[in-house]
Amino acid sequence: NVSTKGLFEKIRRQGSNIGVRDYLTESALKNNGITNVTMTGCPSWYDLEHLDGEFEPPAAIKTVVFTPPARRVFQGQAVQVMKAIRKLFSEARLVCSFHRGIDADEQTPQEDARWMGQLAQAAGELGYEVMDTSYGLENVSFYEKCDLHVGYRVHGHIYFLAKRKPSFLIHEDGRGRGASEALGLPGIQGWERTLVGKVAAKVKEPHFSTLLGTRALDIRARKPAVDELDGYIKDELESGFASFRRLPQTIRRHYQSMVQFLETIT
């Protein structure tokens, strides 16, 4: 919008660059005439204790963390993902970790709490330990002792990768896709546009459904995603997590860009 472009223009006049965490964001800015952009990657990529470490496949998968989606449209798909994980890792401890929390509060509307509660119940019935890990990094400190992550939360995904642990991300929006592309990992496209969403994209009107006077969704859960995820995980298990071998080098390369960028603004 106009105010945002004005802010970016002010930054440009000051002679500063804008750091971005993925190439999708970089392209979006440049396509709108904002060229003073540096691709630094996300600060969460850079766990300094593991920065020089290489990826080593886990000797055994004893604990798997699943992170649920942020949007209700993925509720049914998330249950199917949990079933697939349980089948793949039948001997492992399974944890369903709600980064956003489960109960209604100042940040979580009652409507969201209702469907997240339903998802938590489904997880429990499938044999998962259900954990509310909202409001504090200390609540996810147990990830240090976990072996693998599967789910929708980008920062859960990054947390594992930064510590050189395998993680499989399901994209529920452009942030997930951007992270996967920047890090050189496949990822799974969890959504697709509905007819309303396709029209909205074509006319470049993100609130098209509101203009129609409806509450039609612009996206829906993509049916092939669960089978694709299942195949992706199986391929990585069989190959010794081959797709993750180049990850440390990719992170270190972007870390140098981050350091250089920070030097220009301090």
Side-chain angles (χ1 to χ4, degrees), residues 234-247:
K234 287 177 179 176
D235 287 346
E236 293 301 325
L237 290 170
E238 291 175 4
S239 69
F241 298 93
S243 293
F244 295 86
R245 299 290 184 177
R246 293 186 298 274
L247 176 69

Side-chain angles (χ1 to χ4, degrees), residues 113-131:
R114 186 177 300 109
W115 74 263
M116 284 191 288
Q118 294 169 352
L119 193 55
Q121 181 178 349
E125 292 172 353
L126 288 169
Y128 285 72
E129 296 177 35
V130 176
M131 300 185 69

